[in-house]
Amino acid sequence: MTTITRFAPSPTGRLHVGNIRTALHNWMLARKAGGRFMLRIDDTDAERSREEYVDAIREDLAWLGLSPDGEERQSDRLAKYDAAFEALKGVGRVYPAYETAQELELKRKIQLGRGLPPIYDRGALKMTDEERSAKEAEGVLPHWRFKLDHDEPIRWEDGVRGAQKFDPAQLSDPVIRRADGSWLYMLPSAVDDLDMGVTDVLRGEDHVSNTAVQIQMFTALIAAQFAAAKMPSFAHEALLVGKEGKLSKRLGSLGCDAFRERDIEPEAVIALLARLGTSQPVEPITERARLVDTFDLTTFGRAPAKFDDTELDRLNAAIVHQMDFAEVEGRLPEGMDEAGWHAVRPNLGHVCEAADWWRLVTGPIETREFSDDDRAFLMEAGRQLAWGDDPWHQLTAKLKEATGRKGKQLFLPLRQALTGMDHGPDMAELLPLIGEEGARARLAQAAS
Ligand code: GLU
């Protein structure tokens, strides 16, 4: 059976790191099994869903290199939900309820006040036909609930959490459809998972109790409507938290735009999120195949995964240090060639910083005051400078001999005179890029 996974964002906002991680893991799960990764746009909430977010989701996935093998939209599938709804109604698993939001809130408060869990009391199920007709005569339209079967515990073997067991009597019959006919998340998602042949549902642990409810929906739907379908497997990954250990607001708005603004490589985001919260080491791995091959749900931990920006920056730097000229060519400052890239690459945290270092080659550089001693030394450097294959090592060898200087005393004034900086890329690589003429001028200027 082909593995089919899905990523099902609601287009009510931009993707954030938590969503990106879920998308990535579903993508890896499918890739590893040679299966299909589907994008499902959960846009049943017409009021909050926005087309611009649908576009942004597609763009972000493309930027991350997580292209889906197919896309579906819930707003195109409403007829399927209607059919499922009718089928479930036909077997008594869906019932109308008439309570107002205020009435439900009051019930909740009373239960909580008595120290009881705020579970829906099934008041609507106890109504007589007359009572229902009276409501309708008053013009009250019902919303609809899915009737949970209280007979047996709900069990599943979770790919991350292991054996799970829920007592359905401890759950409220979920509202699946509003009085205006619009859908809540629960039923459409179960219908789609069956209809699209999803084999593996992998999502955040905030969905664990939804899974309990949806397992009963799957069972009821398979019996009533989808005879050939099979219930998917479930896995719920621990949530992502900030490094302070809390679900932070900042993480909830941290997404691809922010990464792009900070010039973070998509590969750094992928390398971090692929293994964060697992027992496998987070490493600057740029080959997707390696990440895919080592993807393994059994290595996922139960503790929240901590997202740390400094770890992302560290990975980004390590990944930039591995990038070839061809990969970055279009993003480099004008005139910077392969040798230039190789010279500055080890000094970069982000590709955009190449421009700062490139200025040391193209100039003008910062001038500074040198001591009399250093000026004499730099004058000597100008005399000793000869242009060959490896001008830096030739120059420093000769200067060492001529002046007796070594270590910092030898290297620092040269670096300062030639680049205007105390530190920076390897001088042996920089000097040929600065060129003979430029080097002579800079040494002369510093010595004057
Ligand atoms: N649209 C739901 C969400 O974003 C999908 C959850 C699921 O994966 O089933 O939370």
Side-chain angles (χ1 to χ4, degrees), residues 3-81:
T3 294
I4 300 179
T5 67
R6 86 310 193 263
F7 173 51
S10 307
T12 54
R14 298 293 303 256
L15 298 183
H16 56 70
V17 267
N19 309 136
I20 294 170
R21 177 168 167 256
T22 306
L24 169 63
H25 292 163
N26 276 286
W27 181 86
M28 293 204 289
L29 184 61
R31 284 291 165 276
K32 185 166 183 186
R36 288 165 62 76
F37 165 67
M38 302 289 292
L39 172 62
R40 189 185 80 204
I41 303 290
D42 282 5
D43 59 349
T44 53
D45 187 339
E47 235 164 73
R48 291 177 58 230
S49 297
R50 298 254 183 289
E51 209 48 39
E52 64 189 269
Y53 292 132
V54 176
D55 293 337
I57 289 167
R58 293 193 194 114
E59 280 161 26
D60 286 347
L61 290 179
W63 183 73
L64 292 158
L66 304 178
S67 304
D69 301 309
E71 182 183 313
E72 296 282 353
R73 288 181 77 135
Q74 290 197 320
S75 54
D76 293 337
R77 302 170 54 80
L78 301 177
K80 303 227 179 229
Y81 313 143

Side-chain angles (χ1 to χ4, degrees), residues 394-410:
Q394 282 172 2
L395 173 67
T396 50
K398 281 200 248 168
L399 277 174
K400 194 171 171 181
E401 210 178 279
T403 65
R405 287 199 185 203
K406 54 184 183 195
K408 198 171 159 189
Q409 266 209 313
L410 172 68

Side-chain angles (χ1 to χ4, degrees), residues 323-330 338 341:
M323 288 170 83
D324 290 332
F325 180 62
E327 292 174 82
V328 291
E329 207 174 343
E338 187 160 4
W341 170 245

Side-chain angles (χ1 to χ4, degrees), residues 252-294:
S253 60
L254 183 64
C256 293
D257 264 356
F259 296 141
R260 277 188 289 259
E261 232 162 76
R262 276 165 53 195
D263 205 29
I264 296 285
E265 304 302 316
E267 294 311 328
V269 178
I270 297 290
L272 178 60
L273 296 179
R275 291 187 172 178
L276 196 65
T278 76
S279 58
Q280 301 194 62
V282 170
E283 291 167 338
I285 298 174
T286 53
E287 311 93 86
R288 289 283 165 105
R290 234 179 101 200
L291 289 174
V292 168
D293 284 347
T294 54

Side-chain angles (χ1 to χ4, degrees), residues 288-308:
R288 289 283 165 105
R290 234 179 101 200
L291 289 174
V292 168
D293 284 347
T294 54
F295 178 77
D296 180 0
L297 277 182
T298 66
T299 65
F300 280 57
R302 294 282 302 267
K306 283 194 186 163
F307 180 88
D308 180 354

